[in-house]
């Protein structure tokens, strides 16, 4: 007698798909091409090697992509004056942890085969600045391609036609596995008794506040960094949906270039259904950059670590994945000494010449000791000769 689906899908199953995954990369990555402002074209010309393991696992009715590979590529391009340029690119790690969990960022090892010139160097710079984003966009589709192709081989279903979409996993954000648009109306936030806390993350980007505000609210621009369908009218009291329905809520208020306030609910087993937090996104623009701060108030206790990782991985890394440069501002601290606080300020000339000098009190004992040592050195011969004469 056949086991019921709930029992058949409980135990671990595994399928090695390394050959299929290698063929997928060799077919899909060579379709990547970018164009510069002067008509230059750079593309991935070939996938030379994919070294590693690619598998699909099934456990407790959840499909889990497992892959960790090193990818060696060749790239080529044509400069604005028609010069053909070639080079190679190695990506040391393309893995589930980077693509799905956002635990670290991609690394790229570049080389140029063509003799350098002004035009060649410009094309090389275009390749290094634009190809990574295009590659990461393509890699983001790899897990779903695995599930769509091989999920049916591991999952026993009572339904005659079951899709290969995985069930949300407690150890992964729901946004990484949900790929459908918002299909049910949001039932605005009935009060639910949940012990909560607040999670705050921030990042500074080399971009204008208005541009970042648009990226986070414009329905046509949201999919560029969320890599999934989005619904957003960007008006108060309107519903929105991000990451293919993985995050839902309503806009409360919007101040272009300054602040976004919205209710926020994650579709995940670790987030209580029907419970809405409040996400406040603030923009603080300076001369050449903007600090974006996300404050999520109402996070269920115990899930704050997961939520903080999700906000950093999906919001901050999402913006970085499409070319927005994060600026790291070091935190400097200065604690004035008591002597400096009692002394009048020195002139700039004096402060420059005395910047590394120690206060007299710190070297005076050393001077005294030095004098005593010299005195003893001169005294020893004299005392020795006196003793000898006696």
């Amino acid at each position: 007698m056949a086991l019921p689906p709930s029992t058949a899908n409980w135990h671990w199953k595994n399928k090695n798909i390394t050959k299929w995954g290698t063929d997928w990369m060799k077919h899909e990555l060579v379709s990547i091409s970018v164009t510069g402002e002067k008509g230059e074209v750079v593309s991935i010309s070939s996938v030379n090697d994919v070294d590693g393991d690619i598998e699909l696992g099934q456990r407790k009715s959840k499909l889990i992509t497992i892959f960790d590979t090193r990818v060696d590529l060749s790239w080529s391009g044509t400069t604005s004056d028609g010069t053909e340029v070639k080079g190679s690119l190695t990506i040391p790690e393309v893995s589930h942890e980077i693509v799905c969990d956002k635990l670290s960022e991609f690394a790229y090892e570049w080389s140029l085969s063509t003799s350098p010139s002004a035009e060649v160097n410009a094309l090389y710079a275009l390749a290094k600045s634009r190809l990574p984003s295009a590659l990461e966009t393509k890699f983001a589709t790899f897990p779903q391609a695995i599930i769509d192709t091989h999920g049916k081989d591991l999952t026993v279903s009572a339904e005659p036609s079951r899709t290969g979409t995985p069930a949300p996993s407690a150890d992964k954000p729901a946004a990484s596995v949900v790929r459908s648009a918002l299909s049910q109306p949001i039932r605005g936030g009935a009060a639910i008794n949940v012990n909560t806390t607040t999670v705050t993350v921030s990042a500074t980007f080399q971009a204008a506040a208005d541009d970042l505000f648009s990226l986070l609210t414009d329905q046509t621009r949201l999919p560029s960094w969320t890599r999934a369908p989005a619904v957003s009218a960007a008006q108060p009291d309107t519903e929105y949906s991000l990451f293919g329905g993985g995050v839902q809520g309503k806009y409360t208020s919007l101040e272009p270039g300054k602040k976004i306030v919205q209710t926020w609910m994650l579709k995940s087993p670790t987030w209580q259904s029907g419970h809405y937090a409040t996400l406040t996104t603030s923009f603080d623009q300076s001369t050449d950059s903007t600090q974006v701060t996300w404050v999520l108030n109402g996070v269920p206790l115990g899930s704050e670590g997961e939520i903080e990782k999700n906000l950093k991985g999906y919001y901050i890394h999402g913006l970085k994945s499409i070319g927005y440069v994060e600026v790291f501002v070091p935190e400097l601290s200065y604690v004035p000494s008591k002597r400096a606080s009692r002394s009048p300020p020195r002139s700039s000339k004096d402060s420059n010449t005395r910047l590394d000098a120690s206060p007299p009190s710190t070297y005076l004992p050393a001077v005294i000791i030095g004098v005593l040592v010299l005195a003893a050195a001169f005294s020893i011969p004299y005392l020795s000769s006196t003793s000898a004469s006696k």
Side-chain angles (χ1 to χ4, degrees):
M1 182 178 68
L3 294 174
S6 59
T7 303
N9 292 328
W10 184 261
H11 299 289
W12 179 268
K13 299 177 185 177
N14 199 50
K15 181 181 180 182
N16 188 303
I17 53 171
T18 302
K19 175 63 168 61
W20 174 90
T22 299
D23 291 341
W24 185 93
M25 290 191 183
K26 288 183 176 181
H27 178 268
E28 294 292 329
L29 299 186
V30 294
S31 66
I32 294 174
S33 178
V34 296
T35 305
E37 296 179 355
K38 297 181 180 180
E40 317 96 311
V41 178
V42 183
S43 59
I44 301 298
S45 53
S46 66
V47 178
N48 304 321
D49 186 38
V50 178
D51 182 27
D53 298 314
I54 306 171
E55 300 178 350
L56 178 63
Q58 190 275 137
R59 170 67 169 161
K60 298 181 180 180
S61 299
K62 299 178 180 67
L63 293 172
I64 304 169
T65 56
I66 308 165
F67 56 96
D68 189 351
T69 62
R70 171 190 174 94
V71 182
D72 293 320
L73 311 163
S74 292
W75 62 270
S76 61
T78 306
T79 65
S80 57
D81 63 0
T83 303
E84 185 177 358
V85 182
K86 294 183 179 181
S88 62
L89 168 62
T90 295
I91 309 175
E93 182 180 356
V94 178
S95 66
H96 177 101
E97 288 73 16
I98 294 179
V99 175
C100 300
D101 296 337
K102 314 293 185 184
L103 296 181
S104 59
E105 297 184 0
F106 285 95
Y108 298 93
E109 300 172 359
W110 297 87
S111 68
L112 178 65
S113 303
T114 306
S115 299
S117 66
E119 291 77 12
V120 170
N121 292 341
L123 188 76
Y124 189 25
L126 174 66
K128 295 172 73 173
S129 64
R130 298 280 301 279
L131 281 179
S133 177
L135 283 163
E136 291 174 26
T137 300
K138 182 62 70 175
F139 287 137
T141 68
F142 185 49
Q144 192 64 38
I146 293 175
I147 291 167
D148 290 343
T149 304
H150 301 281
K152 59 183 178 296
D153 297 335
L154 294 181
T155 303
V156 178
S157 175
E159 301 174 10
S161 58
R162 184 184 185 278
T163 64
T165 305
S169 172
D171 58 355
K172 294 197 300 180
S176 66
V177 294
V178 177
R179 290 294 180 269
S180 61
L182 180 62
S183 59
Q184 295 183 354
I186 299 170
R187 294 176 176 82
I192 295 179
N193 187 18
V194 179
N195 293 324
T196 65
T197 185
T198 299
V199 172
T200 301
V201 300
S202 65
T204 301
F205 297 97
Q206 285 185 340
D210 288 337
D211 184 33
L212 292 167
F213 179 93
S214 173
L215 273 169
L216 295 174
T217 57
D218 187 338
Q219 180 171 300
T220 62
R221 302 186 70 189
L222 282 165
S224 67
W225 61 270
T226 63
R227 315 297 189 197
V231 175
S232 174
Q235 296 292 332
D237 200 33
T238 61
E239 299 173 358
Y240 72 89
S241 167
L242 303 179
F243 307 105
V247 171
Q248 302 178 10
K250 280 188 176 183
Y251 288 112
T252 302
S253 63
L254 301 98
E255 300 176 51
K258 295 182 179 179
K259 183 181 293 186
I260 306 166
V261 181
Q262 57 200 128
T263 62
W264 194 94
M265 182 180 71
L266 179 66
K267 293 186 66 176
S268 167
T270 61
W271 187 280
Q272 184 167 340
S273 178
H275 171 66
Y276 286 83
T278 298
L279 178 64
T280 301
T281 308
S282 304
F283 304 85
D284 183 10
Q285 182 171 323
S286 60
T287 305
D288 57 357
S289 62
T290 300
Q291 183 183 49
V292 185
T293 302
W294 291 268
V295 178
L296 187 60
N297 183 25
V299 175
L301 284 175
S303 64
E304 55 266 32
E306 175 194 356
I307 296 303
E308 180 178 356
K309 183 177 73 173
N310 290 353
L311 290 176
K312 290 179 179 179
Y314 286 97
Y315 285 78
I316 296 176
H317 183 80
L319 295 176
K320 290 167 63 177
S321 71
I322 60 172
Y324 281 76
V325 177
E326 183 179 5
V327 180
F328 295 93
V329 182
E331 295 183 1
L332 301 178
S333 60
Y334 170 68
V335 180
S337 66
K338 294 182 180 180
R339 175 179 295 275
S341 64
R342 292 196 298 266
S343 303
R346 295 173 179 169
S347 66
S348 59
K349 179 179 179 181
D350 185 45
S351 64
N352 289 333
T353 57
R354 300 276 300 174
L355 184 61
D356 297 323
S358 302
S361 61
T362 62
Y363 60 77
L364 183 58
V367 173
I368 295 173
I369 293 172
V371 172
L372 293 175
V373 170
L374 289 173
F378 282 107
S379 300
I380 289 172
Y382 172 77
L383 293 175
S384 299
S385 62
T386 304
S387 298
S389 63
K390 289 182 179 180

